[in-house]
């Protein structure tokens, strides 16, 4: 592969170095372009811009490959525990026995949240969207740890903040659910694992023992692993960008949660379920819905379809579709929405509109049906995405801070008015 690319501009030739990643992806290094040529690059939505070097996640969108730190997603989803994968993403290697038991102990030791947090929940109107609450809670946690704010504190201090955040996240997510249904908050139980604890805090109540169905734990484990990281997507890029200003980790992750909430990103899982419910309630056929999508009726999209990077298939969607069938079978759930989803998928995959645009089901297309079967209301779906994505955000933030990345600050192509004189209001 060439080591440089040539740019001819104003009859002059400029050499631009080529950077090659470990999976042989070549990129033109344009960092000195403005100094040497006076040019900036233009790429709205960063569709073709590498914003960082990273050792965390590799995606080949054409081949439908997804690796975390070199490990294939299929294998991790099949064999690993979510906390192991979280450790892998954040610290770069799979934990050995001692590291893993220390990590799990930390998840127990730091799982309680300050009692004052409950007062903030009380101020929210009933029915408030949980993602808005999660964002507030995450940002608010920074107020409880004012001495651990600086991302350049000691390694020990940084690891303490990471452990606190990972350990408290299930508790915060469960508290929101309890507030929503008007039930008392459940405290964590130190005898349970991370996922079991979360399920108990969500679905258990103080009046009776809670027995966790292993099928549900295994489904949650798989889903959390599949959502754990996805390189430089919208929320992760937000985390890197906000964190690059050396903002504390809590506020930085709160910004990532805001980005994830959007319906084009993590919010799509809720949108998919609502779309399926609308189709069912309207009495229209999936085919009629697809026609509306193709005719671009009032911005109607086939939610859970399409991806910025995957142009062949989303490997996560493949695993989730299979898991969806397995889990519904094991739980004995017969959901008519699953049939609608399968029909929509079948129609879309053989329709030239979707084929030509390379639109395939993404991670959000079937995940909501599983969440629904596990008992979550639609509005909690994106919170579950955030619970899974947290270690990925932390890993990307840590890598960014440790690489001493400069503050993120893109350029623009100004297209507004050229200089003009101020006109007094009486003369306008
Ligand atoms: N339904 C109908 N048409 C679509 C869809 C869709 N879901 N997605 C893209 N298109 C069309 C789009 O209208 C455009 O057509 P045209 O060339 O005629 O203007 C073409 O395909 C290219 O779309 P784009 O919006 O320019 O593509 P993008 O890479 O900017 O957007 C996307 C990617 C994921 C935002 C988009 O596919 C989408 O809106 N999908 C639905 C929302 C969704 O499921 N989001 C979850 C993404 S995966 C989870 C995660 O966020 O990580």
């Amino acid at each position: 592969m060439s080591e440089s690319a040539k740019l001819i501009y104003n009859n002059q030739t400029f050499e631009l170095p080529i950077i090659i990643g470990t999976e042989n992806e070549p990129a033109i290094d344009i960092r000195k372009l403005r100094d040497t040529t006076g040019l900036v690059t233009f790429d709205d939505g960063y569709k073709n811009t590498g914003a960082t070097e990273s050792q965390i996640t590799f995606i080949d969108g054409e081949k439908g490959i997804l690796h975390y730190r070199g490990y294939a997603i299929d294998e991790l989803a099949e064999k690993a525990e979510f906390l192991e994968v979280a450790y892998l993403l954040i610290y770069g290697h799979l934990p050995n026995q001692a590291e893993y038991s220390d990590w799990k102990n930390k998840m127990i030791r730091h799982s309680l949240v300050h009692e004052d947090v409950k007062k903030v929940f009380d101020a929210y109107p009933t029915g408030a969207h949980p993602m808005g609450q999660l964002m507030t809670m995450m940002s608010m946690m920074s107020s409880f740890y004012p001495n651990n704010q600086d991302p350049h504190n000691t390694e020990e201090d940084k690891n303490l903040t990471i452990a606190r955040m990972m350990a408290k996240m299930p508790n915060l997510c469960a508290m929101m659910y309890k507030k929503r249904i008007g039930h008392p908050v459940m405290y964590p139980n130190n005898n349970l694992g991370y996922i079991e604890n979360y399920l108990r805090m969500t679905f258990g109540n103080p009046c009776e023992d809670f027995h966790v169905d292993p099928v549900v734990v295994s489904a949650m484990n798989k889903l959390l692993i599949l959502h754990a990281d996805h390189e430089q997507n919208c929320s992760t890029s937000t985390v890197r960008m906000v964190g690059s200003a050396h903002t504390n980790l809590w506020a930085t992750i709160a910004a990532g949660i805001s980005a994830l909430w959007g319906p084009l990103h993590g919010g799509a899982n809720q949108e998919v379920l609502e779309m399926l419910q609308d189709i069912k309630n309207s009495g229209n056929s999936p085919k009629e819905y697809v026609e509306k999508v193709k005719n671009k009726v009032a911005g109607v999209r086939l939610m859970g379809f399409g991806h910025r990077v995957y142009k062949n298939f989303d490997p996560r969607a493949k695993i989730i579709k299979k898991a969806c069938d397995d889990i519904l079978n094991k739980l004995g759930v017969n959901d008519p929405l699953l049939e609608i989803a399968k029909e929509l998928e079948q129609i879309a995959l053989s329709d030239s509109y979707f084929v030509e645009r390379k639109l395939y089901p993404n991670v959000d297309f079937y995940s909501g049906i599983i969440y629904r079967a596990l008992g979550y209301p639609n509005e909690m779906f994106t919170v579950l995405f955030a619970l899974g994505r947290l270690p990925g955000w932390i890993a990307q933030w840590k890598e960014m801070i440790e690489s001493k990345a400069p503050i993120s600050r893109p350029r623009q192509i100004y297209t507004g008015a050229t200089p003009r004189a101020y006109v007094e209001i009486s003369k306008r």
Side-chain angles (χ1 to χ4, degrees):
M1 228 178 265
S2 320
E3 285 175 3
S4 66
K6 286 194 171 68
L7 170 75
I8 301 171
Y9 174 63
N10 276 347
N11 295 325
Q12 267 187 284
T13 302
F14 301 92
E15 288 226 1
L16 300 166
I18 297 285
I19 301 175
I20 300 172
T22 51
E23 291 278 358
N24 292 323
E25 277 180 314
I28 300 175
D29 181 347
I30 52 106
R31 280 175 289 187
K32 300 239 159 52
L33 187 69
R34 194 163 185 275
D35 295 341
T36 51
T37 65
L39 292 168
V40 296
T41 54
F42 178 66
D43 180 21
D44 62 340
Y46 309 117
K47 289 193 177 195
N48 197 38
T49 293
T52 183
E53 290 179 304
S54 179
Q55 300 182 354
I56 303 172
T57 291
F58 172 70
I59 299 177
D60 183 326
E62 271 67 40
K63 296 191 185 131
I65 290 173
L66 170 60
H67 291 169
Y68 296 162
R69 303 269 189 197
Y71 297 98
I73 191 66
D74 327 43
E75 198 176 4
L76 291 174
E78 198 55 45
K79 300 181 184 162
E81 290 183 3
F82 173 64
L83 277 187
E84 260 183 300
V85 172
Y87 188 99
L88 167 73
L89 288 167
I90 297 170
Y91 294 108
H93 62 275
L94 284 167
N96 62 29
Q97 293 278 7
E99 287 166 333
Y100 197 35
S101 89
D102 178 54
W103 179 234
K104 287 201 281 195
N105 279 337
K106 283 181 176 148
M107 296 302 107
I108 290 168
R109 219 174 81 217
H110 297 292
S111 60
L112 279 175
V113 296
H114 199 288
E115 286 290 293
D116 285 351
V117 168
K118 286 191 207 157
K119 295 182 197 157
V120 181
F121 277 112
D122 288 341
Y124 265 99
T126 308
H129 198 285
M131 282 299 276
Q133 298 184 50
L134 182 60
M135 187 186 73
T136 309
M137 294 305 141
M138 188 52 79
S139 163
M140 187 184 126
M141 294 312 292
S142 64
S143 323
F144 293 102
Y145 305 105
N147 300 327
N148 309 91
Q149 303 281 325
D150 185 347
H152 300 104
N153 278 356
T154 61
E155 203 61 16
E156 199 187 344
D157 193 79
K158 197 163 53 187
N159 288 334
L160 176 63
T161 303
I162 290 172
R164 278 181 176 147
M165 185 176 281
M166 281 292 299
K168 290 177 200 318
M169 180 75 162
N171 197 345
L172 290 172
C173 296
M175 275 169 107
M176 253 153 24
Y177 177 74
K178 288 298 192 203
K179 154 85 182 153
R180 190 185 162 78
I181 58 169
H183 281 191
V185 161
M186 294 282 286
Y187 291 106
N189 176 340
N190 286 357
N191 297 318
L192 295 178
Y194 193 81
I195 295 175
E196 291 89 332
N197 222 340
Y198 170 64
L199 290 166
R200 182 182 156 277
M201 287 188 285
T202 304
F203 296 120
N205 70 63
C207 314
E208 57 191 20
D209 290 341
F210 181 72
H211 300 287
V212 194
D213 186 337
V215 172
V216 175
V217 177
S218 147
M220 281 291 298
N221 184 58
K222 203 177 277 259
L223 284 163
L224 294 177
I225 290 174
L226 290 172
H227 286 89
D229 195 49
H230 213 231
E231 51 115 309
Q232 309 312 317
N233 56 81
C234 178
S235 57
T236 302
S237 300
T238 302
V239 164
R240 279 190 178 257
M241 183 171 267
V242 174
S244 76
H246 299 175
T247 305
N248 70 72
L249 183 59
W250 301 99
T252 298
I253 298 296
I257 293 170
S258 306
L260 188 75
W261 190 2
L264 296 189
H265 190 11
N269 53 14
Q270 179 181 340
E271 299 278 326
V272 170
L273 236 285
E274 287 169 2
M275 172 185 78
L276 298 175
Q277 280 164 334
D278 282 351
I279 295 174
K280 181 168 173 283
N281 297 340
S282 70
N284 292 334
S285 67
K287 198 163 176 39
E288 283 167 310
Y289 186 82
V290 169
E291 282 311 308
K292 273 201 220 162
V293 171
K294 286 162 59 180
N295 294 330
K296 302 195 171 170
V297 174
V300 177
R301 282 199 163 197
L302 185 51
M303 299 311 286
F305 254 70
H307 199 274
R308 172 62 60 78
V309 181
Y310 295 121
K311 298 298 173 197
N312 188 339
F313 67 92
D314 179 339
R316 303 167 302 172
K318 237 182 169 179
I319 301 171
I320 287 184
K321 184 179 177 186
K322 185 174 175 309
C324 188
D325 276 327
D326 288 353
I327 291 156
L328 266 61
N329 275 338
K330 281 187 192 150
L331 295 175
V333 174
N334 187 4
D335 191 340
L337 297 189
L338 179 59
E339 291 319 307
I340 298 178
K342 283 186 175 170
E343 203 179 330
L344 276 176
E345 182 187 359
Q346 207 181 21
I347 297 166
L349 291 183
S350 54
D351 189 299
S352 59
Y353 175 96
F354 298 91
V355 174
E356 280 162 16
R357 290 171 177 78
K358 300 188 174 173
L359 303 172
Y360 296 88
N362 59 48
V363 69
D364 293 319
F365 196 66
Y366 285 105
S367 60
I369 296 175
I370 306 183
Y371 294 141
R372 193 169 122 98
L374 301 184
Y376 295 101
N378 297 0
E379 289 193 344
M380 282 298 289
F381 294 178
T382 314
V383 170
L384 295 166
F385 194 149
L387 181 61
R389 184 54 56 88
L390 183 63
W393 286 331
I394 294 173
Q396 300 271 352
W397 168 84
K398 187 168 175 288
E399 184 180 68
M400 183 271 304
I401 288 293
E402 289 171 1
S403 71
K404 303 199 180 347
I407 186 167
S408 287
R409 204 316 187 171
R411 296 272 176 173
Q412 65 167 12
I413 311 297
Y414 177 69
T415 56
T418 49
R420 45 185 170 165
Y422 175 78
V423 182
E424 297 294 327
I425 194 160
S426 57
K427 296 184 186 145
R428 277 177 233 159

